[in-house]
Amino acid sequence: FRAKQQPVLVQISEVGTATMLHPNGIVVPVYQLEKKTGIQIGSRAIYPTMRNYYSDTHQQLLALPFSVSTAVLFYNKSLFKKAGLDVAHPPRTWPQVVAVSRQLKRVGVSCGFTTTWPSWTQIENFLAIHNLLYANKQNGFEGASTKIEFDHPLLNMHLSKLADWQHQGIFKYGGREDDATALFTAKQCAMLIQSSGSYIDLNKLMSNTVGVSRLPYWPQVKGAPYNSIIGGSAIWVLTGHSQSQYKGAATFLKFLLKPGIQAQWQQRSGYMSVTLAGNQLSEQHGFYKRNPGARVAIQEINSKPETDASRGIRLGYMPQIRQNNNDAIEAILVNQSDIIKILALAIRQDDNLLKRFQFN
């Protein structure tokens, strides 16, 4: 952008949202693109939970959600059957995950569950489904956050349990990104927390033996589980281009929202349709009959009215913050007795990044 070589459109992961909005003048918000070109792309057809994540405080759309996913629990139906477990009723709570894992270990499965992207799944989504804020200013949606607020007793307890479960062989750590997927596909672990966008590929790779369930939650939390938060990416329009290029951009975004295109994208990629009409068309095509687990992600992000905690997280330097939090998770798994000190250090480091972002 600074070299004046920016494209008209760019696809950016959800953790880059705050960066795209800071400083002003980099993007043409979608709602302004519609006014500028007179082309209505049909953004009101987008699911509210997806639209709200990429909207401003006046509910005006800033970017077009496209490759949308969330975190879910995958499980190996064959291993569940081997352990005498009911594949139609996977575990829903963390105590149930532990009980199921112990039963799986009794029949020779080396670990009950693993997780990819631990900061995303075990901190960010964990807080959302328990309706706990991650940072001040409504997780960054009401202005640039200045303070991390995830020092919650429930999270401390959960991360401590994660270390306990690792020592017991119930949980196996598989790395900071998606390397843990190999523990699941190799049948070392019977359950995997991973992006819902992986479902189609996982199910093909594992000969249609993959079941899908919502993220586990702690049952003592009143009202849980709340909605999980979306991941994936969105398409942004950048400044510095001609009116004819903007008309082309608006026409393209409108094309992407057509029900047939959304259904095709959903069925081939594994990501969610961002519109109800696309979802309904996939239903008519028999997609959910062939892939019943694909329903779970849509249900998980839409099950309850949105809260400040479940809307999502919009922080500057979010990729760097995730690395700090991954450091903390790994340290806790090695030495859970220092959990308070470890999390306090991560929060201080995260706060410093938030302050730097404000003055960048």
Side-chain angles (χ1 to χ4, degrees):
F1 184 86
R2 291 188 176 99
K4 301 186 186 304
Q5 296 177 348
Q6 70 270 26
V8 181
L9 300 171
V10 62
Q11 188 169 338
I12 300 291
S13 66
E14 91 284 1
V15 293
T17 302
T19 301
M20 296 303 292
L21 298 172
H22 180 81
N24 292 327
I26 294 173
V27 304
V28 179
V30 170
Y31 76 92
Q32 289 184 7
L33 180 73
E34 292 179 315
K35 293 177 183 177
K36 184 187 289 281
T37 62
I39 297 171
Q40 297 299 308
I41 69 168
S43 60
R44 284 291 151 190
I46 299 171
Y47 280 107
T49 48
M50 301 179 190
R51 189 174 65 241
N52 291 346
Y53 183 83
Y54 291 106
S55 293
D56 62 17
T57 54
H58 302 292
Q59 302 303 303
Q60 299 176 122
L61 191 65
L62 303 171
L64 185 78
F66 185 59
S67 302
V68 177
S69 62
T70 192
V72 295
L73 177 74
F74 294 109
Y75 59 99
N76 186 313
K77 293 180 182 178
S78 296
L79 294 180
F80 268 48
K81 288 177 181 176
K82 180 180 177 182
L85 296 164
D86 184 355
V87 297
H89 295 90
R92 291 289 295 112
T93 67
W94 281 112
Q96 289 171 356
V97 168
V98 172
V100 163
S101 296
R102 288 184 173 137
Q103 194 163 337
L104 286 157
K105 285 180 66 64
R106 283 196 287 269
V107 297
V109 181
S110 61
C111 98
F113 78 98
T114 186
T115 185
T116 60
W117 312 105
S119 180
W120 182 52
T121 64
Q122 301 305 303
I123 296 181
E124 295 166 38
N125 269 286
F126 178 87
L127 294 172
I129 67 172
H130 294 96
N131 201 30
L132 297 170
L133 282 171
Y134 187 100
N136 68 345
K137 297 191 178 179
Q138 296 183 16
N139 282 350
F141 280 87
E142 294 297 323
S145 291
T146 57
K147 186 173 177 56
I148 294 293
E149 294 187 341
F150 63 61
D151 186 18
H152 300 287
L154 185 75
L155 178 63
N156 294 1
M157 180 273 287
H158 177 71
L159 294 178
S160 180
K161 289 284 189 184
L162 211 59
D164 280 339
W165 297 334
Q166 180 172 252
H167 295 320
Q168 298 168 29
I170 288 169
F171 166 70
K172 187 169 185 178
Y173 182 69
R176 297 184 171 201
E177 297 185 356
D178 61 354
D179 293 343
T181 303
L183 297 174
F184 181 67
T185 56
K187 301 181 181 179
Q188 291 184 41
C189 297
M191 292 174 282
L192 168 73
I193 298 175
Q194 165 66 300
S195 165
S196 61
S198 305
Y199 174 59
I200 301 298
D201 288 341
L202 279 175
N203 211 22
K204 286 179 182 176
L205 182 64
M206 299 178 69
S207 304
N208 297 314
T209 61
V210 177
V212 189
S213 184
R214 293 182 58 172
L215 290 175
Y217 65 96
W218 286 102
Q220 64 265 41
V221 176
K222 186 177 180 180
Y226 292 81
N227 300 345
S228 61
I229 56 178
I230 65 171
S233 61
I235 299 174
W236 296 80
V237 184
L238 302 187
T239 56
H241 298 287
S242 68
Q243 180 69 4
S244 62
Q245 287 173 308
Y246 286 132
K247 283 188 175 180
T251 302
F252 180 62
L253 297 186
K254 182 176 182 177
F255 165 79
L256 289 180
L257 288 181
K258 285 185 174 181
I261 298 302
Q262 282 296 309
Q264 184 183 76
W265 172 248
Q266 178 185 28
Q267 293 171 38
R268 293 187 181 182
S269 72
Y271 287 103
M272 289 180 264
S273 166
V274 302
T275 67
L276 175 61
N279 201 32
Q280 290 173 333
L281 196 55
S282 285
E283 178 87 61
Q284 293 170 24
H285 291 169
F287 173 68
Y288 290 116
K289 188 173 182 180
R290 297 188 302 273
N291 301 280
R295 293 183 187 275
V296 174
I298 291 284
Q299 295 166 345
E300 190 175 66
I301 66 169
N302 289 296
S303 65
K304 289 189 175 175
E306 194 174 73
T307 69
D308 290 342
S310 67
R311 183 180 182 184
I313 301 166
R314 186 184 287 176
L315 304 184
Y317 290 137
M318 192 63 193
Q320 294 92 324
I321 286 173
R322 278 186 174 173
Q323 290 308 313
N324 287 342
N325 297 342
N326 282 328
D327 287 344
I329 290 171
E330 289 176 349
I332 290 165
L333 293 176
V334 172
N335 186 6
Q336 70 189 99
S337 63
D338 284 341
I339 184 169
I340 303 299
K341 187 185 301 182
I342 291 166
L343 283 178
L345 173 61
I347 289 171
R348 284 198 303 273
Q349 292 172 329
D350 294 348
D351 283 345
N352 287 336
L353 285 169
L354 293 178
K355 291 171 186 174
R356 279 178 52 198
F357 184 77
Q358 281 193 309
F359 297 104
N360 186 13

